[in-house]
Every structure is written in C-alpha cells, then in structure tokens.
Amino acid sequence: MKAFPRTLLSGAPFHSASCQTLHPHLAASLTALGAPSLVRAGSTRHGLSPGLYSTVKLRSAPTLARRFSTDKKPGAEEPPPFAFAFDIDGVLLHVEKPIPGASETLQYLHKHNIPFILLTNGGGKHETERVSDLSARLDVPLSTDNFVQSHTPFQELVHDGPEGEGLRDKNILVTGSNAAKSRDIAEAYGFRKVITPADILMAHPSIWPFEPLMKELYAATARPLPTPQPKVDAIFVFNDPRDWALDFQIIVDLLLSRGGVLGTYSPKNGCADLPNAGWQEDGQPRLYFSNQDLFWAAQYHFPRFGQGAFQGALRGIWREVTGGAGALRSTVIGKPHGLTYGYAERVLNAHRAKVLGTDPDRLGPLRRVYMVGDNPESDIRGANEYRSPVGTDWASVLVRTGVWSAERGRPKHEPRMVVDDVEAAVDWALKQEDWR
C-alpha cells in the first residue's frame, strides 16, 4: 500500500487535546431489523441533495436477498463511477459473525466488479492475518489491496519519522489489547527495536507497586530491555489496551522524562516561561493513537468503550499531573480524520484499477464513494467532512446494526441515509446510481 503523505504522521500532530470531544450520549442499543428507517427527504439520484429526515420503510431482508442473488449484470458498458467503503464491526460482522446479508452483499459487488474497500478503526492483527480471517468469515475474496485498519499507517514511520528520520532502528514502545501481538505487528512493519510494557515491568518490577493484572502473560512475553534505562523515541497505541493502569503509568513516566530516557525527569516540566509550560518540551517520545472511537459494538446490547475512552482517561490524568497547564500532545489517526479518508481514497482508486484490469491513469476519478458505517462520530462524520482533492463525493450511510440506534435520538452527525443494514445500504446506493 502507498504510505501516507509525511504531513499525516511525521509532521506536526493534526489532533490534540484542544479538539478532542467525547460524547457519552452516543451509547446506544441495538434495534430489531425491519423498523422504519429515517431517510433524508429531497435526495435525488446522482445529486444526492441534502434535506430533512423523513420516515420510510425499506424493503425486507428476504426481498433484498433475492435482489442480490440475481445473475443479471448491471446494464452499463462503462466501469461503475462509484464505489463503496465499509466499516467492519457493526456493519459486516457482529461479534465475529456475519450480519445477515453482509456476505451476499459483498459477493454481489465482487461478482459485478463494483469496487469496495474495508475501512475500519479496528486492529490488533496484521493486515494479512485479518484479511485471511475476514475472507473466510464473509465467504468473499479479500486482499490487503482493499483493506485499511487503524494502525496500517504506522508503517510509514519506519522510514519517515517525526524529524525526517525513520524509526526503524530506534526504540519504540507499543501497547494494545495484546502488547506482545502488537510487537509482532510492529516488527512485521519493519520496526526493529520494539519494547512492550511487559519488558519494562519485568526489568523494573517496582515501577508498578501493585500486583500486575496479567502477571503470567507479562512473564511469558517479556524480553530483555536493550539497556537498563532505554531511550524511547515514540509510543504507539495499536488498539484498545487492556491493562490501562500499567500503561498509563509507563506512558506518563516517559512523557515526563528527560529526552525519553526511562527513569528520568525533565527539569523543564512546569516551567511557565516555556511553550506548553515546559511539558513535553524536552525530547520526550511522540505519542501516537490509532483511532479515537469512544464506543464500538460488541456482544453486549449496549456499545462498549474503545480506544477513545483510554485517551480520554489519559488526558484527564495528564491534566491532573500538569495542573492543567500543559495540553497532552499526541497524534491521532483513523476515522474521522480527513487524511485517513484521503489515504483510503487513494487505496480504493488503486484497487479499482486492479479490479477493472486497467491503468489507474486511464480511469477518471470516482464520482461517489458510499461510506457505510455504524458510528456517527467516526464513519459518518469522516465522510461528511472529507473533501476529496479530485472532487469525489463521499456519501455517508448509517446502519442500525451497530453503535447507533434511533432510540437515542438523531445522530449528531447526520448521514445522507439511514437504513436497516448493509444490504439495504447497497440496494439504496445502486438505485441512486441507476445501476441495474
């Protein structure tokens, strides 16, 4: 895959505490399929003009299933000027099982060479492993060519780091739902000196003066530190951490350090005459988060906290540590950020050319990409706010099978269309495009 432009990860952070807003009111329950859908009145084909919501009843799942089971190819000689981007959890899968109609929908698009990409804030597995697993679960051929997950862009920092020098041979700290797995992914990306919280805890047990929550796992996965007090140049949160307390302690220790050296304390901390009151002004490691999702759809009937909750808690701790004098500087990627959507658009265009068997330069730009998601704060907001450099319109479609539900009121970021599920989303989009 192509790397992000340097301005995304290696330049100045484009997301900081000043623009972080958490919305606990988004907690939502799942609703039964078949409930009336909210549709934006005034929508027109191709133009997709905005308007107020009105209530309509979409076709039932069995009817849609028959729609996608047809062998009739859409009646158009030119390649489709549109494509799809799908979130995964809450759109295609629920607790690792396909949502009804998801497999048939992707199979239909694949059969008729209608390009699509999977764009997820999930992570925790290498792209090749995740794609193999998704292909088997959804029963449709997938590849890394049309797959982007939250930490995929971290690869660019191997060769193009914050100061113009890559991080391949520098010490980095990684954590996530399984820090040892995150290390494996980072090493597969090309990072050579990867440290986990377990490494630090096993080398310095007193750094956490409580009984570790995952003591046996830490002991089994820890590696010796490169030096007793290593200099850490970057911190990566690959996906939702599990042992928040230990991770918070180590991350804050490093952000307070002198030059990123573990076990040191910067004399610049709290100096009022320095920028940011001296906090993170002494060569401390850059802090990278792979997404800001506050909620995600899991097995429980209400959405569960995601990485955004971890970030919110860390920012609260940092505010207490600094007395509110210093903002927590960090870089957050993933949806809803426009640069992530720009990266996804480039990947999608390359995949489209491959699907159609032609040179990308011979294809005109896509007229429209339908972003189908379940989270108004990431999927819908990102599509609504993204402005394509080639004029491609990103049309947001919200499904009822994941984070959002109508019981909690209208979404803060309004989509072009609200439908029951992914099958209905694609059916609606095909009608907008007169694609039969």
Side-chain angles (χ1 to χ4, degrees):
M1 288 184 178
K2 295 180 181 178
F4 273 91
R6 191 167 177 268
T7 52
L8 174 57
L9 292 179
S10 54
F14 63 92
H15 181 81
S16 67
S18 62
C19 60
Q20 170 101 359
T21 303
L22 303 180
H23 299 283
H25 68 276
L26 283 177
S29 61
L30 302 178
T31 56
L33 295 179
S37 295
L38 295 175
V39 181
R40 299 198 75 170
S43 293
T44 59
R45 290 183 179 180
H46 307 311
L48 295 179
S49 63
L52 297 177
Y53 281 110
S54 61
T55 303
V56 302
K57 183 73 175 179
L58 293 173
R59 285 193 280 181
S60 66
T63 301
L64 290 169
R66 290 194 295 273
R67 161 82 174 92
F68 286 126
S69 65
T70 179
D71 290 330
K72 182 179 179 182
K73 187 172 182 177
E77 296 180 358
E78 296 297 321
F82 61 94
F84 292 87
F86 299 104
D87 186 27
I88 297 176
D89 294 316
V91 176
L92 301 175
L93 298 177
H94 181 62
V95 197
E96 297 300 321
K97 294 182 180 180
I99 289 173
S103 296
E104 294 82 358
T105 299
L106 296 186
Q107 290 166 2
Y108 177 88
L109 298 177
H110 176 74
K111 178 178 180 179
H112 294 296
N113 290 330
I114 300 175
F116 66 88
I117 186 175
L118 305 188
L119 178 60
T120 175
N121 272 353
K125 294 182 179 179
H126 190 270
E127 284 74 7
T128 53
E129 180 183 358
R130 183 66 167 143
V131 162
S132 176
D133 177 67
L134 288 169
S135 296
R137 292 182 186 277
L138 294 167
D139 193 26
V140 65
L142 300 170
S143 74
T144 55
D145 293 334
N146 64 334
F147 178 74
V148 178
Q149 59 184 346
S150 62
H151 48 69
T152 300
F154 287 164
Q155 297 176 83
E156 78 155 349
L157 292 175
V158 172
H159 300 292
D160 192 5
E163 308 301 327
E165 181 182 2
L167 296 170
R168 183 184 65 175
D169 297 308
K170 296 184 180 295
N171 294 322
I172 65 169
L173 175 74
V174 302
T175 190
S177 61
N178 183 331
K181 185 73 171 179
S182 296
R183 171 161 38 206
D184 292 340
I185 298 169
E187 290 176 340
Y189 285 173
F191 296 101
R192 294 180 176 177
K193 297 182 177 180
V194 185
I195 298 170
T196 69
D199 301 346
I200 295 174
L201 179 63
M202 293 298 105
H204 302 284
S206 62
I207 201 169
W208 182 244
F210 308 102
E211 185 71 15
L213 296 178
M214 299 183 288
K215 186 175 183 178
E216 293 183 0
L217 176 63
Y218 291 150
T221 60
R223 298 180 188 174
L225 291 175
T227 63
Q229 290 183 287
K231 179 183 184 302
V232 176
D233 290 281
I235 302 169
F236 293 95
V237 181
F238 267 64
N239 67 328
D240 311 346
R242 296 296 186 266
D243 193 348
W244 288 23
L246 177 63
D247 287 355
F248 286 155
Q249 185 69 74
I250 293 175
I251 290 173
V252 170
D253 282 351
L254 288 171
L255 296 181
L256 296 174
S257 69
R258 183 191 309 117
V261 177
L262 183 68
T264 64
Y265 187 85
S266 171
K268 295 183 178 181
N269 292 336
C271 292
D273 58 334
L274 294 176
N276 207 41
W279 305 104
Q280 293 177 277
E281 284 289 322
D282 197 10
Q284 290 89 350
R286 294 279 189 110
L287 175 59
Y288 296 94
F289 296 105
S290 68
N291 74 79
Q292 67 177 49
D293 281 357
L294 180 60
F295 295 114
W296 68 289
Q299 186 173 8
Y300 194 65
H301 60 283
F302 292 135
R304 301 293 84 190
F305 284 141
Q307 192 183 140
F310 178 86
Q311 295 170 37
L314 179 58
R315 293 182 192 282
I317 292 171
W318 185 253
R319 186 166 54 249
E320 292 299 315
V321 169
T322 65
L328 179 63
R329 295 170 174 170
S330 65
T331 298
V332 184
I333 62 173
K335 298 176 290 185
H337 297 294
L339 289 174
T340 292
Y341 277 81
Y343 176 64
E345 183 174 284
R346 293 192 296 274
V347 171
L348 180 54
N349 282 325
H351 176 66
R352 178 191 182 211
K354 186 174 181 179
V355 166
L356 299 174
T358 187
D359 189 298
D361 295 334
R362 299 183 61 182
L363 284 172
L366 285 163
R367 181 175 65 218
R368 184 167 297 113
V369 175
Y370 293 92
M371 175 70 230
V372 183
D374 71 313
N375 192 330
E377 287 294 312
S378 57
D379 306 315
I380 305 309
R381 177 186 174 187
N384 289 353
E385 295 180 354
Y386 175 60
R387 298 295 178 264
S388 167
V390 295
T392 299
D393 172 39
W394 280 66
S396 56
V397 185
L398 180 63
V399 297
R400 297 174 177 272
T401 50
V403 167
W404 179 80
S405 107
E407 293 178 351
R408 300 295 175 131
R410 293 183 177 182
K412 179 178 180 180
H413 302 278
E414 294 189 351
R416 301 275 183 93
M417 175 67 79
V418 179
V419 296
D420 285 344
D421 54 29
V422 66
E423 200 169 36
V426 170
D427 183 62
W428 173 78
L430 293 177
K431 288 191 294 185
Q432 304 309 303
E433 300 294 334
D434 288 324
W435 197 258
R436 296 290 183 267

